[in-house]
Structure formats: structure tokens, C-alpha cells
DNA sequence: CCTATATATTGAACCCCGTTCAAGTATGAG
DNA sequence: CTCATACTTGAACGGGGTTCAATATATAGG
């Protein structure tokens, strides 16, 4: 019966990720507590550290899940989007907005998790990011057939960052009177100006 | 001799703000420690709490300073900028970028400080923000004379958020190979597309 | 100037939290 | 079944924000 230990560890690992995921979604990254996790998972406090290096490492696993969901949502929005490249960009950006709004705390955790200084983002993060960039650069390439790959790359990053900024500040000061509709409006205005009259 | 106490408290208050400001600039918000502050200020640990509600409250005072400096830099950049409205927008955005880059940790503290949930941003924050918005909306109004105040307001916020997003993500993953020049390029590309061919 | 009362300051102690590691327990090969 | 190895446990450690009883200082009245 080889693997009794490995089996238990695998189950516990999944469990901890699911629990941390829910707790972050409900109360935010800042409210995540090792002791709460251990209690809810029915494991010892130290058990967490036999599976993850530290809480950051666990949050990283949760963030991977969140990022996958985000990517899936954006991809899904493309599925029933119009063929028009500009419309596709707007549809994706608003799908990004919708995801950020209804998974706000999980979405924040993607960016609020502080990396140990000097350490670069993990591989899967860059890959998921790259996938999002492909979704953006594809319609851009058809909109701007004369621009070379570098220019498209720069524009892709600039557009992603812009949409991200609009959503980040818009959702952050939700109190300050920026409604979801206004955020969608800003996204549309920016994208239309950027690529609409190509 | 009325005011001996008040005088001491005022001096200590200024002192603490200056010290916290420097420590944040050097090591970041996350490394700020009440005990370090007390030691460096030569005051008792508890003295901090006779002047500020908590460390957050002190950081808020530091952030007010940072925001003023930021506003001053942006205003100064306008002083020797060309008359052309589009150029003015680009100049200001790049001044914002320059400030964020050379005061990175202080600038991050402006946004990383978590507000007690449900609490809205303090007044001075909204006012400084409003001032930045005026700098942006003024050239926009000349560029788009046909748009009404609401539309200009939305565009102002959208543009600020976009530039903010480009700088935030650009500086965040400095490791991932986004140079300052590329950030300035993205800012210019976005702004030119947005308003350049008005 | 002196005393008494009110006010301000102090820093040891409290509580919370992430992480560790010595002691205890389970595993599986022989 | 036995034993060495590997795994698990949770009390304890260190560090950090905040509090508050004790102490010291300031002020008002005599």
C-alpha cells in the first residue's frame, strides 16, 4: 500500500486551497489566518507548513485558480462576441470588469500578494498573463495590419494596463460614486478612441 | 505659560511624520514599525498613540505629504510645457510617471494603505485627486469643445486611470522587462491615440 | 513659592499571528 | 512482529500593534 501518506497530503492540499480560496473571496487576503485554516481543514497548524512553504505559497496556489477562472471568463466572453475586432476588445474588457467586480477580493489578492523582494512572478502567472495578452493582440493585429510585432506588443500591454487601471480605481473608490455602468462607459470610450476609428 | 504641552506635541507630531515619511520612502509601508519610529523619534512607544489613532493614521499624514509633492511635480511640469493641449497631457502623464518611479515606495503607500472597510477616503485625498483631475480636464476641454461637462469628466477619469494603470503595472513587474522608456512610450501612444488626432 | 489637582507620558504587558521544531506517532520493509 | 525511518503534531518562539496602570509633569489656587 504505497502512498498512504502521499494520498493524505494530496487531499489536504486540495482542501486547504479550497478553504483559503473561499476565505479570501469572503473576507479578503488580509483576513486570512493560518489557525483558521487549520481549524476548518481539521488539521494541525503545523500541517500547513508541511505542504506549503508559508501562507504566501498557499495564496499563490489560490491565485492560480483565480487566474484560471478569470482567463476562462474572458475566453467565454469571446465565444459569443461579434466578429468585429473592436467589439471583441470591448467585450473582453467588460468581461474582465465583470469578473473583477463579482470576485473583487479574490481579484485583489492577485495583485496585493506581496512578492518577496527581488523574486520575480511565478511561471504560471506570466503564462496566464501571456494568454490574456494573446486574446488582446489578436484583434489588434487585424485592426493594425501595418504595425510590427513590437508595436502590437506595446499596444497590447498599454491597452491591458489601461483597462486594468480603469477597473482598479473604479472599483476601489466604489464609495466615491463610480458606478459599474460608468466603468463600462469608460472602458468603451477608451477602447473606441484607441482602436474604434482605426 | 499656556501651551508647553501643545508645543511639545506639535513638535513630536512633525517629527514622527518626517521620520515615517523617510522610512516609508526607504523601506516601504510594509516595513514601518511603531517601535522603530519611537526609538528614532526618541519618544515612548505609547506617545505615538497620544498623537495618532494608530499607525494608519500616521501613514495617512505621510500620504498627504506625498500627494502634495506629487501635485507640485505635475504642476511644475505644466509650467514649462508647450501650449499644445495634447503635449500638455503627455508632459503631465510622464511627470506622474517620473514621480512614481523615483518615489516608488512612497507612491505605493498612497494606494496600498488599506482603509478600514466601509470608510471612505479622507477629504484631502479627494481634494488632491480633484486637483489632478482639473489639470487633465482643462486641456481636454479645449481639445473636445463639443463635449459636455459630464463627458469631459468621464474622459478625465478614464485617462487618469489608464495612465495610472500603465505606470502601476509597468513599475510593478520591473523585473519582467518593462523599461522606463517603454512606459513613457505606452503613455505617449495611448494619449496620442486618445486625443492626438482630435 | 508651595501644594493639590488635573493632565500628560511612559513602557511593560496583552493579545494576535506566522512559523518552527522537539516529541510523539504512523508506516512499511524485512 | 520489529524496528528504523518518515510523517505529524501543537506548544512555544519571536515579533509587532495597541493599551493602560503607574508615574511624572503641568497648571491653578492660596
Amino acid at each position: 500500500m504505497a502512498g498512504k501518506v502521499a494520498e493524505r497530503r494530496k487531499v489536504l492540499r486540495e482542501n486547504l486551497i479550497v478553504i483559503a480560496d473561499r476565505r479570501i473571496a469572503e473576507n479578503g487576503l488580509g483576513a486570512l489566518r493560518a489557525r483558521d485554516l487549520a481549524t476548518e481543514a481539521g488539521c494541525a497548524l503545523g500541517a500547513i507548513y508541511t505542504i506549503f512553504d508559508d501562507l504566501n505559497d498557499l495564496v499563490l496556489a489560490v491565485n492560480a485558480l483565480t487566474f484560471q477562472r478569470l482567463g476562462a471568463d474572458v475566453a467565454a466572453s469571446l465565444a459569443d462576441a461579434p466578429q468585429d475586432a473592436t467589439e471583441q476588445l470591448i467585450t473582453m474588457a467588460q468581461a474582465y470588469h465583470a469578473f473583477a467586480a463579482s470576485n473583487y477580493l479574490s481579484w485583489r489578492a492577485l495583485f496585493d500578494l506581496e512578492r518577496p523582494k527581488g523574486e520575480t512572478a511565478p511561471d504560471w502567472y506570466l503564462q496566464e498573463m501571456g494568454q490574456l495578452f494573446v486574446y488582446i493582440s489578436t484583434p489588434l493585429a487585424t485592426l493594425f495590419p501595418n504595425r510590427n510585432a513590437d508595436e502590437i506588443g506595446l499596444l497590447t500591454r498599454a491597452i491591458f494596463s489601461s483597462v486594468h487601471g480603469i477597473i482598479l480605481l473604479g472599483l476601489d473608490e466604489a464609495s466615491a460614486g463610480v458606478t459599474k455602468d460608468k466603468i463600462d462607459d469608460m472602458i468603451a470610450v477608451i477602447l473606441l478612441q484607441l482602436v474604434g476609428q482605426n
Side-chain angles (χ1 to χ4, degrees), chain A:
Chain A
M1 197 160 301
K4 216 161 167 178
V5 169
E7 177 66 18
R8 253 198 329 249
R9 285 170 58 93
K10 197 182 152 213
V11 169
L12 179 56
R13 182 189 166 84
E14 298 307 317
N15 240 310
L16 284 171
I17 293 175
V18 167
I19 292 169
D21 185 34
R22 224 205 48 249
R23 294 190 90 96
I24 289 174
E26 285 173 6
N27 305 114
L29 180 57
L32 197 68
R33 299 282 173 266
R35 283 167 179 77
D36 293 345
L37 286 169
T39 301
E40 187 171 344
C43 72
L45 181 54
I48 295 170
Y49 297 91
T50 66
I51 294 178
F52 300 98
D53 289 347
D54 50 28
L55 281 198
N56 252 7
D57 194 28
L58 168 53
V59 174
L60 230 48
V62 172
N63 280 354
L65 269 189
T66 304
F67 226 136
Q68 279 175 316
R69 289 191 198 117
L70 169 59
D73 272 22
V74 171
S77 80
L78 260 187
D80 38 38
Q83 288 305 305
D84 177 58
T86 302
E87 283 301 321
Q88 287 180 347
L89 286 172
I90 294 178
T91 298
M92 282 191 290
Q94 292 180 346
Y96 184 54
H97 171 211
F99 183 90
S102 39
N103 303 275
Y104 183 62
L105 293 175
S106 299
W107 177 70
R108 285 299 305 232
L110 290 179
F111 306 98
D112 289 349
L113 178 60
E114 54 183 297
R115 288 191 280 292
K117 70 173 177 179
E119 190 163 318
T120 172
D123 244 19
W124 59 260
Y125 177 93
L126 296 176
Q127 274 189 332
E128 290 284 349
M129 205 70 175
Q131 187 52 55
L132 286 184
F133 279 14
V134 170
Y135 292 148
I136 297 171
S137 63
T138 303
L140 279 183
T142 75
L143 283 167
F144 301 100
N146 296 332
R147 312 237 181 159
N148 65 35
D150 273 5
E151 289 171 326
I152 293 288
L154 200 76
L155 195 54
T156 297
R157 182 177 275 273
I159 285 178
F160 175 84
S161 302
S162 297
V163 171
H164 180 79
I166 289 171
I167 294 169
L168 188 71
L169 294 186
L171 292 177
D172 201 19
E173 346 174 272
S175 53
V178 185
T179 64
K180 286 190 189 180
D181 282 352
K182 279 219 186 305
I183 295 174
D184 272 342
D185 284 353
M186 286 192 276
I187 290 171
V189 165
I190 290 283
L191 288 177
L192 282 174
Q193 287 275 343
L194 278 174
V195 303
Q197 70 269 308
N198 64 314

